[in-house]
């Protein structure tokens, strides 16, 4: 069967798995591009569709496609903007293809606020004068805050200024997978040509993925040196500051820190609403103020999550042909807009902290005093004081009968250190997310 026939049969099979409505909203707009060997290629409208399908339906698509063909089949998604952009797409080392760099993500549609002002200015400086002042540029911050948008904006600005520029955009995981494939097929020369000789600008997302990947770090180190020494620009992003990337070679850490470090924090409500307004206008959506407030409240500063909600609202709006209101959103997206208030207990907090640190709850409340237990125990005390109404003496009883002064000390210590310790703040944010509470 060809790609069109397989896709038609896949849509029928997916209706049985996820229902007709979701298939209509998310899958019917995709177009089959190819069926070559063990790969079915599909084109989707934009990266929002790509990300949603990848996160929610890709395993089912792969399973059904493999069953229909009677052989293992991979499903690859590409976006229309990837085809339209002037960047290289990810593929084999000698024939790169563009994926991930969106022609629609530019400096013009990046909303600047206090949370990202410095990173935005640094990215503009790089885009205006590649490799002349900030090399590398290292942008870091929690997920979903616009790091990748800035990276795309740099690429698009450089290409607008110099259409002959060769932009190579990859995630650190892509880089590693390219290297592994080329090692396997004895094509390392092709790999090195792609990253060291042909690229005039290298953009690498999520470099925290390099943690513990020794061979990949060696190859990345030599690639980094080759580019910088020959006057070519490197832009890197990560979820954390380079100093907080675990198991990163000191020589790489030094080079990351030798350029310009620019962090992005979560936007305040005003900036977030401005971002929401801009992105809704880009999709031709009219979002009333009460719905905008509800979305801002739900996403807690995460711009990527905001984009996902807007994308789903746009699809629902088109499918049902109804105006977007808060009532409509609550009716069609009850899991998002009708979330029950979270009531936390101290045992639930202790369990979440223990799970995050690969410990048992009994380790947190127990009497042992080791370095591996002290910090998680203090984090649990801090969160318990922050998210419950219990007094210090009451919390002491919850923590194995400890004196109230111990709880008070643990709370104050973490409350003080969180202001200057980005790694600690990030850990606490992740634990708060697992507890489904709004950070204070």
């Amino acid at each position: 069967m060809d790609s069109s026939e397989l896709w038609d049969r896949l849509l029928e099979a997916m209706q049985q798995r996820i229902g007709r409505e979701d298939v209509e909203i998310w899958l019917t707009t995709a177009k089959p591009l190819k069926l070559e060997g063990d790969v079915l290629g599909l084109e989707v409208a934009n990266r929002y569709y790509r990300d949603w399908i990848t996160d929610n339906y890709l395993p089912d698509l792969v399973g059904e496609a493999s069953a229909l063909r009677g052989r293992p089949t991979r499903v690859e998604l590409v976006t229309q903007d990837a085809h339209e952009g002037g960047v290289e797409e990810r593929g084999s080392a000698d024939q790169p293809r563009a994926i991930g760099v969106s022609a629609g993500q530019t400096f013009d549609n990046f909303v600047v606020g206090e949370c990202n002002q410095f990173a935005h200015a640094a990215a503009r400086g790089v885009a205006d004068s590649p490799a002349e002042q900030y090399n590398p540029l290292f942008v870091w911050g929690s997920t979903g805050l616009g790091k990748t948008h800035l990276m795309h904006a740099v690429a698009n600005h450089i290409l607008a200024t110099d259409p002959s520029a060769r932009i190579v955009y990859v995630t650190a995981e892509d880089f590693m997978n390219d290297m592994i494939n080329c090692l396997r097929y004895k094509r390392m020369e092709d790999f090195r040509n792609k990253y060291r000789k042909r690229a005039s600008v290298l953009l690498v997302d999520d470099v925290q993925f390099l943690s513990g990947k020794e061979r990949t770090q060696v190859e990345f180190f030599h690639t980094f040196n080759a580019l910088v020494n020959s006057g070519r620009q490197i832009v890197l992003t990560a979820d954390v500051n380079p100093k907080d990337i675990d198991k990163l070679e000191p020589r790489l850490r030094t080079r990351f820190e030798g350029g310009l470090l620019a962090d992005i924090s979560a936007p305040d409500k005003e900036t977030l609403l401005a971002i929401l307004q801009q992105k809704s206008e880009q999709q031709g959506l009219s979002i009333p103020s009460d719905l905008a407030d509800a979305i801002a409240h739900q996403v807690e500063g995460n711009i990527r999550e905001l984009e996902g909600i807007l994308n789903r609202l746009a699809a629902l709006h088109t499918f049902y042909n109804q105006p977007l209101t808060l009532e409509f959103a609550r009716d069609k997206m009850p899991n998002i807009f009708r979330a029950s208030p979270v009531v936390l207990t101290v045992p639930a907090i202790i369990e979440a902290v223990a799970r995050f640190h690969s410990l048992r709850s009994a380790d947190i409340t127990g009497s042992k005093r080791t370095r591996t237990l002290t910090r998680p125990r203090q984090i649990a005390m801090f969160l318990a004081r922050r998210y419950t109404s219990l007094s210090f003496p009451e919390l002491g009883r919850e923590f194995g009968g400890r004196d109230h002064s111990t709880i008070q000390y643990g709370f104050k210590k973490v409350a003080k250190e969180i202001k200057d310790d980005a790694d600690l703040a990030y850990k606490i944010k992740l634990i708060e997310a697992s507890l489904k509470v709004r950070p204070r």
Side-chain angles (χ1 to χ4, degrees), residues 143-165:
T143 185
L145 299 182
K147 302 186 300 295
T148 302
H149 187 143
L150 277 181
M151 185 175 277
H152 295 170
V154 169
N156 286 313
H157 186 86
I158 291 174
L159 286 166
T161 305
D162 178 13
S164 67

Side-chain angles (χ1 to χ4, degrees), residues 352-353 356-357 379 383 427-435:
V353 174
F356 181 86
H357 291 92
I379 290 174
L383 291 172
K427 285 179 182 178
I428 289 175
K429 184 171 183 178
L430 292 175
I431 296 169
E432 288 172 330
S434 74
L435 289 166

